[in-house]
Structure formats: structure tokens, C-alpha cells
Amino acid sequence: MYVRQVMELSVEGARVVLRAAIAHAEKMGVPQCIAIVDRGGNLLVFERMEGAKLLSQHSAIQKAITAASHRTSTGGLPTDLAFGIALATGTRYAAIAGGVPIEIEGEVVGAIGVGSGTDEEDIEVAQVGIEALKAVLSSHPKSAS
Amino acid sequence: MYVRQVMELSVEGARVVLRAAIAHAEKMGVPQCIAIVDRGGNLLVFERMEGAKLLSQHSAIQKAITAASHRTSTGGLPTDLAFGIALATGTRYAAIAGGVPIEIEGEVVGAIGVGSGTDEEDIEVAQVGIEALKAVLSSHPKSAS
Amino acid sequence: MYVRQVMELSVEGARVVLRAAIAHAEKMGVPQCIAIVDRGGNLLVFERMEGAKLLSQHSAIQKAITAASHRTSTGGLPTDLAFGIALATGTRYAAIAGGVPIEIEGEVVGAIGVGSGTDEEDIEVAQVGIEALKAVLSSHPKSAS
Amino acid sequence: MYVRQVMELSVEGARVVLRAAIAHAEKMGVPQCIAIVDRGGNLLVFERMEGAKLLSQHSAIQKAITAASHRTSTGGLPTDLAFGIALATGTRYAAIAGGVPIEIEGEVVGAIGVGSGTDEEDIEVAQVGIEALKAVLSSHPKSAS
């Protein structure tokens, strides 16, 4: 196949993830920076909640890019190589928890990066956002195709 | 005055600007990247519409930062100095149309940057977003304090 | 609240912090680099004292930015994640002691970053600077509004 | 001579330049970012006046570094090469007006960078700052040695 069909998160899908993630972060009482990128690592939507750390505007985006790139959660990346890889990628690499790939039917279609809380809080917010997208897709199965 | 009261755009206000700007860009049929920053130039919200140019994700943010920094529309900035200033500011400067300060009661509280359309389209989308915020504020005047 | 009132450190207030911090560092006999940023992390004033380390001109600024971003003293930040976060934020993050938020009436209005001495010396100089501002504000309470 | 005597601007001298520059900018009614570096291009003092452009915090420093490096006013640098030199120096180069070397007895001892006004305003503020230092030195000739 010279040209192939891929599944890609749309901005509409990204909004579903973002809204659910923010609603959950508000419920937790943890202000967050939340970034969602497509499968190419390009930013789709971003929001910095009231009270979130300023510098997390950068790390949230980097976490999302890293998760889309590596197709794995950033929290599980080996930290011993982090410095080297980060420098080798022009500091585009984030080996800290809070970046989670958005996987639909076994394919990574995008990723979410969450930053400003603890590792656990960041991951939880990311996962709730992704679950919301999956819930919408399963109730409207044709939206995915 | 050692510490002073200033007005700052909140994420809630940024959402109003973003939603109105996107609605207008959709009506125009022009996909856009839209970034909104606070008065300190820190990103509040971002959205890249379906079909918008990938690189505009960067320029939209830079336009917003530049408009917040210079408290003027980026389209009116002198282009002869643009390269020089851009490099002197670590390439944080965008002297291209589409960045517009958000001014409330004479004070710049944030800025919007729009990129992917023509100069005129970018500016129009930015202005419609700002007008939406002003409309909300004038109908709920207490929301501003 | 779409647009909200916040308190921000002014350059006049930053000068009070800087002068007191320098006077104290001189008394201690410890040359320092001292940077003061506003609540958005933008540099207000800086001074490198005679004999301070050259590289501290950078770390002092980063400490101030980090303290303003995280609204906490940089000395208390977890060091195990420091490399990762620093790289994920474009090396804008400093998890080393000497950055202290400037909090007035419960609100972070800016931050000071001090570098070139030991952790304890850096923190002491930062705190003396902040106390000087608080002393001025309490004797001229209207200066804060 | 393997090791030689050089003249270098001290932080005390930099303060004289800064204070005079700020006083003049205030008189002109033009808020400015003002940076002063020593002969090695290392930042000595900085101040961002109320109302100055945020991005000028970066360009003022770059202008001062460039003026110290090239030992000439930045406004006179050839702009046709600016892009290339800027990139070749890691964007540390500013070929825009407002950077002026501080020359004492024929030797460049440091430099001042001013940004946020027009070219003419930036240069005027820089020169007034330098003149103030020269005035102090000529009335206290021993201070220079």
C-alpha cells in the first residue's frame, strides 16, 4: 500500500476529550493544563485552567507530542535515557507522567497531555478524557468511521 | 504603587472569544488556528480547526503573544524591522496580521492570534471573537470585576 | 468571571524587593544574581552583584519564573522529576532553591529568584527582599490597591 | 602580554547608566526595557518600566549583548546579513537600533540595550544613560581607575 487509510482524531473528537478532562479536573479541584494533539503530533486543542502552573502550558503540549510519537504513556518511559533523548529531539521529549496516547480500535489516533497536578492526577484526568471519547464512539459507532 | 490591581482575561472569557471566533470562521468557510493568551502572554486556550494549516499552530500563538506584548494589532507592525525584532526576541515576535489585543475598559487584558486565512480573514475572525466577549461583558457588567 | 481583577507586582515594588535583597546580600558578604518577575513570569528587574557567578544570571531568572509559575518556593520542588520537567518546558524550569513567590494578601503577584550563594543564602536573600515589600505595604496600605 | 589589564563596567557603573536612562525615558513619556551588560556580554542590570512591551525584555538584552560583541551601535549594523548572522549565533544577534556600546577612554567596557520605543527613542535613552556615566567619571576621575 503506497497510500493508506489511517484513523485520526479530529478537532471535534479532541473537544470531547478536553471537555471531559476539564470537567473531571474541576471535580477533583486540581487546575490543569491540557493539550490534545493528532496522530502527527500537531496541536488540536489546549486549555489552561484557572490556577494551573504557567510552565505546564509547555509541558502539557510536550507530553501529548511525546505520547503520540512513542504511542505509549509518558509516565512509563525510561527516565535514564530521558536527558539524552530530550536533547536529541530538540527538547521535544517529555519523559514525565501525564501524556497518554488516544487509542481507538488498536490504533493511536492522537494523544492527550496533562500537567500541573501530581503524576497520578495528571494521568487520571487524561484517562477520563479518553474514556469520554470512547463512550461517545461506542454509542454512535459510525462516528468513528 | 508597589502592587497594583490589573484586569486579566480569564479562561472563561477566553472560551467566549474562542467559540465566537470559531463559529465565525466556520460561517466564512475558512479553517483557522486560534490562540488566546492572557495579559502576560501565557496561553489560555487554543484550537486548530479541521483543515487549518499545520504551521499556523505556531504562528497563531506567536501573533497572540506579540499582540499582548505590544498592545497593538500585529498587522500594523512595521515589516522592515520584523526579521530583526523576531530574531532579537528569540523568534517570539510575529509582525504579520492576525494578532489583536483584547482591550476591556481601556486596558489590554489578553490577546487573540488567528492564522491560516488571508490577513483580512484572520483579523475579521479575531475581531468577531473580541466583540463576543464585549457583548457578554456589557450584558453582565459585574462579570468584569 | 470573564475578566477578573488580579494583583500584580509593579516595577516600583520590584525595586523595593531588589534593593533590600542586595543590601542583605552585601551585609552577608555573598554576591548574588537577583531577578524579579511579575505574576505572568515576565522579567521586571535584575541585578548581578560584583563577584556573582556568571551563569547565575540565567538560573536566577529561571528560578523566579518557576516560582511564579508554580506559586511555590523552588527549593521544595521534587528533584527526581527536575530533569524531565525542565526539558518538557523548554528548559524554563529550575528545581533548585532560591526562587520564592511574592505573595501579597494570599495572592502570588510575582516572584524573586536568587542565585550564586548556597541554597540557604539564596533563600535568605529572597525572603529579606520580600519582607521589605511587605513592610512598605503595611505602612502604606493604600499602595497595594 | 599574556594577561592584560582591561576596563570593565561594574554593577555600580551600570546602575548609574540605568537610573539616568530610566529618568530620561520617564521624562520622554516612553516606557522602555533597559538592559546593561559588561564587556563580556553578561547581564549586569535590567529594568522593564511600567507599560513597556513584554517582548522587549528579550530584545533589550540581545541589543546590549550585540553592541558589546560588535563594539558598535546596533542600529548601524547591516540588515542584509542580519538573518544569517542571527541564525549563526543562535539568535543572539540583534541588528536593530537601541544597542549602544559604553566606551570609556576608547575602550568598550560594556553596553546598553534599550527597547520598546521607536529607533530614535531607544537610541536617545541609551545615549543619555551613557552620558550620565561619563559625567560621573569626569567629575570623579579616579572612579574610572
Side-chain angles (χ1 to χ4, degrees):
Chain A
M1 261 193 303
Y2 301 113
V3 178
R4 66 215 159 78
Q5 283 272 357
V6 295
M7 299 251 283
E8 184 164 70
L9 184 66
S10 69
V11 64
E12 203 180 332
R15 281 179 197 154
V16 171
V17 179
L18 180 64
R19 273 185 218 127
I22 285 170
H24 192 70
E26 279 172 352
K27 215 171 82 182
M28 292 170 74
V30 179
Q32 295 279 20
C33 287
I34 301 172
I36 296 164
V37 301
D38 64 20
R39 60 179 291 133
N42 291 299
L43 190 60
L44 279 167
V45 296
F46 172 90
E47 189 161 318
R48 173 165 57 92
M49 293 168 65
E50 180 66 34
K53 293 164 188 161
L54 293 180
L55 288 177
S56 300
Q57 69 188 288
H58 306 292
S59 53
I61 294 174
Q62 298 301 77
K63 288 176 187 181
I65 292 173
T66 301
S69 159
H70 284 46
R71 297 180 198 87
T72 187
S73 289
T74 53
L77 291 168
T79 52
D80 57 335
L81 295 175
F83 194 44
I85 299 175
L87 290 173
T89 57
T91 70
R92 288 180 186 87
Y93 177 78
I96 44 175
V100 182
I102 302 173
E103 213 172 318
I104 302 297
E105 294 169 24
E107 195 173 349
V108 172
V109 299
I112 177 171
V114 179
S116 211
T118 63
D119 283 8
E120 292 69 28
E121 289 165 347
D122 293 355
I123 294 168
E124 183 177 326
V125 166
Q127 283 169 339
V128 167
I130 296 171
E131 289 313 312
L133 177 67
K134 290 188 174 170
V136 169
L137 288 173
S138 65
S139 60
H140 302 284
K142 297 197 176 160
S143 307
S145 63
Chain B
M1 264 189 298
Y2 304 112
V3 178
R4 67 214 160 83
Q5 286 273 358
V6 295
M7 299 251 282
E8 185 163 68
L9 184 66
S10 70
V11 65
E12 201 180 335
R15 281 179 196 151
V16 171
V17 179
L18 181 65
R19 274 186 216 125
I22 286 170
H24 191 71
E26 280 172 351
K27 216 171 82 182
M28 291 169 77
V30 179
Q32 295 277 22
C33 287
I34 300 171
I36 297 165
V37 301
D38 64 21
R39 60 181 289 134
N42 291 299
L43 190 60
L44 279 167
V45 297
F46 172 89
E47 189 161 320
R48 174 166 56 91
M49 293 168 65
E50 181 67 34
K53 294 163 188 160
L54 293 180
L55 289 177
S56 300
Q57 70 189 285
H58 305 293
S59 55
I61 294 174
Q62 299 301 76
K63 287 176 189 181
I65 292 174
T66 301
S69 159
H70 284 46
R71 297 180 198 89
T72 187
S73 288
T74 54
L77 292 168
T79 52
D80 57 335
L81 295 175
F83 259 157
I85 299 176
L87 292 168
T89 57
T91 70
R92 288 178 184 88
Y93 177 78
I96 43 177
V100 182
I102 301 174
E103 212 172 318
I104 302 298
E105 294 168 24
E107 195 174 349
V108 173
V109 299
I112 177 171
V114 179
S116 211
T118 62
D119 283 8
E120 290 70 26
E121 289 164 348
D122 293 354
I123 294 167
E124 184 176 325
V125 167
Q127 282 169 338
V128 167
I130 294 171
E131 288 314 311
L133 176 66
K134 289 188 176 171
V136 170
L137 288 175
S138 65
S139 60
H140 302 284
K142 299 203 174 152
S143 306
S145 61
Chain C
M1 265 189 298
Y2 304 112
V3 178
R4 67 215 160 82
Q5 286 272 357
V6 296
M7 299 250 283
E8 185 163 68
L9 184 66
S10 70
V11 65
E12 202 179 335
R15 281 179 196 153
V16 171
V17 179
L18 181 65
R19 274 186 218 127
I22 286 171
H24 191 71
E26 280 172 351
K27 216 171 82 183
M28 291 169 76
V30 179
Q32 295 278 21
C33 287
I34 301 172
I36 296 165
V37 301
D38 63 20
R39 59 180 291 134
N42 291 300
L43 191 61
L44 280 167
V45 297
F46 172 89
E47 189 161 320
R48 174 165 56 91
M49 293 168 65
E50 182 66 33
K53 294 164 188 159
L54 292 181
L55 289 177
S56 300
Q57 70 189 286
H58 305 293
S59 54
I61 294 174
Q62 298 301 76
K63 287 177 188 180
I65 292 174
T66 301
S69 159
H70 284 47
R71 296 178 198 90
T72 187
S73 288
T74 54
L77 292 168
T79 52
D80 57 335
L81 296 175
F83 259 157
I85 298 176
L87 292 168
T89 57
T91 70
R92 288 178 185 88
Y93 177 78
I96 44 176
V100 182
I102 302 174
E103 212 172 318
I104 302 298
E105 294 170 22
E107 196 175 349
V108 173
V109 300
I112 177 171
V114 179
S116 210
T118 63
D119 284 8
E120 291 69 27
E121 289 164 348
D122 293 354
I123 294 168
E124 184 177 326
V125 167
Q127 282 169 339
V128 167
I130 295 171
E131 288 313 312
L133 177 66
K134 289 188 176 170
V136 170
L137 288 175
S138 65
S139 60
H140 302 283
K142 298 203 175 152
S143 307
S145 61
Chain D
M1 261 192 302
Y2 301 113
V3 179
R4 66 215 158 78
Q5 283 272 358
V6 295
M7 298 251 284
E8 184 164 70
L9 183 65
S10 70
V11 65
E12 203 179 331
R15 281 179 198 154
V16 171
V17 179
L18 180 65
R19 273 186 218 127
I22 286 170
H24 191 71
E26 279 172 353
K27 215 172 82 184
M28 292 169 75
V30 179
Q32 295 278 20
C33 287
I34 301 172
I36 297 164
V37 300
D38 64 21
R39 59 180 291 131
N42 291 299
L43 190 60
L44 279 168
V45 296
F46 172 89
E47 189 161 319
R48 173 165 57 91
M49 293 168 65
E50 180 67 34
K53 294 164 188 160
L54 293 180
L55 288 177
S56 300
Q57 70 188 287
H58 306 291
S59 54
I61 294 174
Q62 298 301 77
K63 288 176 188 181
I65 292 173
T66 302
S69 159
H70 284 46
R71 297 181 198 87
T72 187
S73 289
T74 54
L77 292 168
T79 53
D80 56 335
L81 296 175
F83 194 45
I85 298 175
L87 290 173
T89 57
T91 70
R92 288 180 186 86
Y93 177 78
I96 44 175
V100 182
I102 302 174
E103 214 172 317
I104 303 298
E105 294 169 25
E107 194 173 348
V108 172
V109 300
I112 178 172
V114 180
S116 210
T118 64
D119 283 9
E120 292 69 28
E121 289 164 347
D122 293 354
I123 293 168
E124 183 177 327
V125 167
Q127 283 169 338
V128 168
I130 295 171
E131 289 314 311
L133 177 66
K134 290 188 174 170
V136 169
L137 287 173
S138 65
S139 60
H140 302 284
K142 298 201 174 157
S143 308
S145 63

